[in-house]
Amino acid sequence: MNRFQRLCVAQAAALCLAQAAHAQAAETQPSTPAAQAALPAVSVQGHYENGVGTSDAASAGVVTSALIEARPTLRPGELLEFVPGVIVTQHSGDGKANQYFLRGFNLDHGTDFATWVDGMPANMPSHAHGQGYSDLNWLIPELVDRMAYRKGPYYADEGDFASAGSARIRLMDRLKAGIAELTAGGHGYGRALLADSRTLTTGNLLYAFETAHNDGPWQSPERFHRANAVLRYSVPEGATRWSLTAMAYTAGWDSTDQIPLRAVQSGALDRFGTVDPTDGGKTSRLSLSWNAQHTMADGGDWTASAYLVRSSLRLFSDFTYALARPATGDQFSQVERRTLAGGSLSRRWPTAWGGHEGSTSAGLQARQDRVEPLGLYDTMDRLTVDTVQESRVREGSIGLWAQNETQWQPWLRSIAGLRWDRYAFDVHSSIAANSGQRSAGIVSPKLSLVFGPWAKTEYFLNLGSGFHSNDARGVTAHVTPREGLPTDPVTPLVRSRGAELGARTEALLPGLQSSLSVWRLALGSELVFSGDAGDTQPSRASLRQGVEWSNHWRASPWLLLDADLSWSRARFTQPDPVGNFVPGAAEQVASLGATVTQWGPWFGQFQLRYFGPRPLIEDNSRRSASTTLAYLRVGYQLTPRTKLALDVFNLFDRRASDVDYFYASRLPGEPAAGVDDIHFHPVEPRSARLTFTANF
């Protein structure tokens, strides 16, 4: 048993002992279910809204803007690390979508974790770089009001990519005060933000402008630059509440991709060096979204949303160097221009079954992606050498869902749901054999039972089926793009099945919210990273199971403490001589945090994140090392309207990896078949950023 596992066992034992110690005290509390249901919930203000009675699963919750504001983040995508158990890394330039890990998944750039921002989906199906690509670099953290997260396929209103979990990020309608902010840091980092809101006759107008630059610690400067703009009008009060939001974003960068360990160990390459300095990319995004909610006289409501997104990406990568094309190098370009339109409509109304109160909801979700071109090209120094495949893709989906929630007893609540999804794929490829049309549907039942509360503790049983879609090009492919060999089309929709037992308590200590969940998730087909193609490909069926323990404690009016621990096991369930370990599946994750607020003029935050070892190939003979990183913020309120904050990233200057892969690549002078090796992207060394904020 390693140190992390001993820590989990000890803390789980402490939880059980504390519950036993409080059982006798609980006997003096009201003993009837109705009286116990009326017990006041603990409110951990400015932190998480995870109190007893606030959610349908122990693994679900809400992150508030106060915590988001308090914790330093290296990149916008790290906002998802507020979800207990999520790890966010980067293996390429800052303008590219982050790498995500959760519940034994290497989620690549978002597959199997659905992310929504103000009603718009961030995940992109049939994406040039990877299925479910979820880029959040266009998000301005200061504008986030809250983030609701869920894990597992237990929710009828969650569809594609939500098997491991989901996060719904809501933007603010109005700022407490205007923000003028300047940040400067090491490695050429700079950022400027201007944001404010105004009350108009009928609503609020919010605007924000952001620009940033970063070279990073790389020998080949990243030269990352981005510009962001947001304009939002909202009517947040009354029977009908709605908002209309316009966003614009553009970015460009030169990237240092993962590098071979052998070159660093031999001294041929610096730890922060690059094999191909011409890797990089550029991207842009324009969006318009509308959200509305109308409260009905019967106590129910209507909700509606619509969005239109226009995005583009051109990415240059080289993971194998001179393995496939020794004369020109293996650099390739992935290109797409996408128009995405969609929306949703739902209705909730009160219902009663046999005199038991509850509510029923039903909804419709629709989406249409048009991607033209969707291309893969061989390049050299960012110049096109050959077209591997260029496609025009139309992908449409529609989802219908219904859900009933009934309070059968003061101590028993059920949530039963059913979801139906239909997808249509239309691919026109430069390779005639890979063109075609195909459609598929899937039905996903859901059931959750909530028991309690008893002695400020409630229990959960969650069951459900979900799915993820596969890339449209694979759905209609009959030959491999590079070799021209026969291949079978992949399954359009891949089913997942999950189950979870959980408990949430507020009985251990005053101000403490503690949640424990034991979960299991089976996936009909795994998506795994392919180093030579630079994307994900379907593989065998898999099974994951694990334990999560989350704790959020207001220790004093000025001190908030977090401790989130998770363990998972991931295996392929279809035997193969190569082995049954799922590459990249993190087994242990831990996050410890302390947030200081209003300690006189001082404020601050300390965050420690542990990312455990992972198998890199199926037989587990090659494994990554663990990564432990610490972030620190120390701030001082200069005046009621100005403050200064110093953020330090990788506080202890650890030499570790953001990601590790194991595959064959070839450097000059090496055998034609290449060399099997670990390829890694190092975490950035210790760096500091100083931010001055003025409110107006």
Side-chain angles (χ1 to χ4, degrees), residues 95-169:
K96 186 178 174 182
N98 291 95
Q99 192 94 1
Y100 307 104
F101 297 82
L102 173 68
R103 286 195 164 185
F105 278 91
N106 176 354
L107 295 163
D108 196 52
H109 297 292
T111 301
D112 291 306
F113 189 87
T115 306
W116 299 75
V117 178
D118 216 39
M120 291 181 292
N123 301 78
M124 298 297 170
S126 305
H127 190 271
H129 185 65
Q131 179 70 348
Y133 187 88
S134 182
D135 181 8
L136 292 177
N137 287 297
W138 47 272
L139 186 62
I140 300 177
E142 288 84 355
L143 302 186
V144 174
D145 179 45
R146 59 183 50 219
M147 177 170 60
Y149 62 87
R150 295 165 165 175
K151 300 175 190 175
Y154 318 128
Y155 307 95
D157 58 341
E158 301 284 3
D160 202 1
F161 305 123
S163 292
S166 67
R168 291 183 177 264
I169 299 170

Side-chain angles (χ1 to χ4, degrees), residues 373-457:
L374 179 56
L376 176 64
Y377 311 91
D378 288 334
T379 59
M380 179 180 178
D381 298 335
R382 299 196 182 189
L383 298 176
T384 300
V385 175
D386 187 30
T387 297
V388 179
Q389 182 174 236
E390 187 175 88
S391 304
R392 184 174 76 251
V393 171
R394 305 288 184 267
E395 182 171 335
S397 65
I398 185 170
L400 296 173
W401 62 271
Q403 177 176 284
N404 174 263
E405 179 176 348
T406 300
Q407 190 78 43
W408 299 102
Q409 297 289 337
W411 51 269
L412 175 61
R413 177 166 56 97
S414 69
I415 306 98
L418 188 66
R419 183 181 181 91
W420 173 80
D421 289 271
R422 188 72 180 175
Y423 277 67
F425 307 90
D426 186 357
V427 178
H428 294 267
S429 173
S430 58
I431 302 173
N434 288 343
S435 296
Q437 296 179 340
R438 198 171 174 186
S439 61
I442 194 168
V443 176
S444 307
K446 326 275 184 175
L447 176 64
S448 295
L449 299 176
V450 183
F451 304 90
W454 296 290
K456 297 184 181 180
T457 302

Side-chain angles (χ1 to χ4, degrees), residues 595-656:
T595 304
V596 175
T597 58
Q598 298 177 349
W599 191 46
W602 294 95
F603 60 92
Q605 213 273 343
F606 173 80
Q607 196 72 28
L608 184 70
R609 181 252 270 174
Y610 172 82
F611 183 28
R614 295 147 332 263
L616 298 181
I617 54 178
E618 288 83 351
D619 65 4
N620 198 34
S621 61
R622 297 300 182 100
R623 292 176 61 84
S624 73
S626 63
T627 298
T628 303
L629 296 178
Y631 290 0
L632 176 67
R633 169 172 290 176
V634 178
Y636 189 84
Q637 194 78 38
L638 300 171
T639 71
R641 290 187 172 271
T642 60
K643 61 184 178 182
L644 198 63
L646 176 66
D647 294 340
V648 182
F649 301 96
N650 194 1
L651 178 65
F652 303 121
D653 202 22
R654 297 294 299 269
R655 290 171 60 91

Side-chain angles (χ1 to χ4, degrees), residues 213-275:
H213 178 273
N214 190 29
D215 286 331
W218 321 110
Q219 285 193 334
S220 177
E222 186 176 12
R223 286 186 278 268
F224 170 66
H225 54 277
R226 77 166 180 260
N228 240 335
V230 176
L231 185 64
R232 177 180 176 88
Y233 180 77
S234 62
V235 178
E237 299 177 354
T240 301
R241 304 180 296 280
W242 61 274
S243 64
L244 182 65
T245 307
M247 297 182 176
Y249 165 74
T250 183
W253 65 97
D254 298 330
S255 63
T256 295
D257 289 339
Q258 63 249 29
I259 55 177
L261 180 62
R262 63 186 184 277
V264 176
Q265 292 177 333
S266 69
L269 194 64
D270 184 83
R271 180 175 177 82
F272 299 103
T274 182
V275 176

Side-chain angles (χ1 to χ4, degrees), residues 516-572:
L516 182 69
S517 58
V518 180
W519 58 271
R520 177 184 176 96
L521 182 65
L523 201 63
S525 174
E526 188 77 17
L527 288 176
V528 295
F529 179 81
S530 171
D532 57 352
D535 60 7
T536 54
Q537 296 178 354
S539 183
R540 292 173 281 161
S542 62
L543 174 66
R544 289 172 171 81
Q545 50 197 344
V547 181
E548 293 177 332
W549 188 24
S550 298
N551 302 273
H552 312 300
W553 182 31
R554 179 175 282 278
S556 74
W558 53 269
L559 179 61
L560 307 171
L561 300 176
D562 298 314
D564 300 313
L565 306 174
S566 65
W567 171 87
S568 61
R569 180 182 186 273
R571 297 289 187 272
F572 290 114

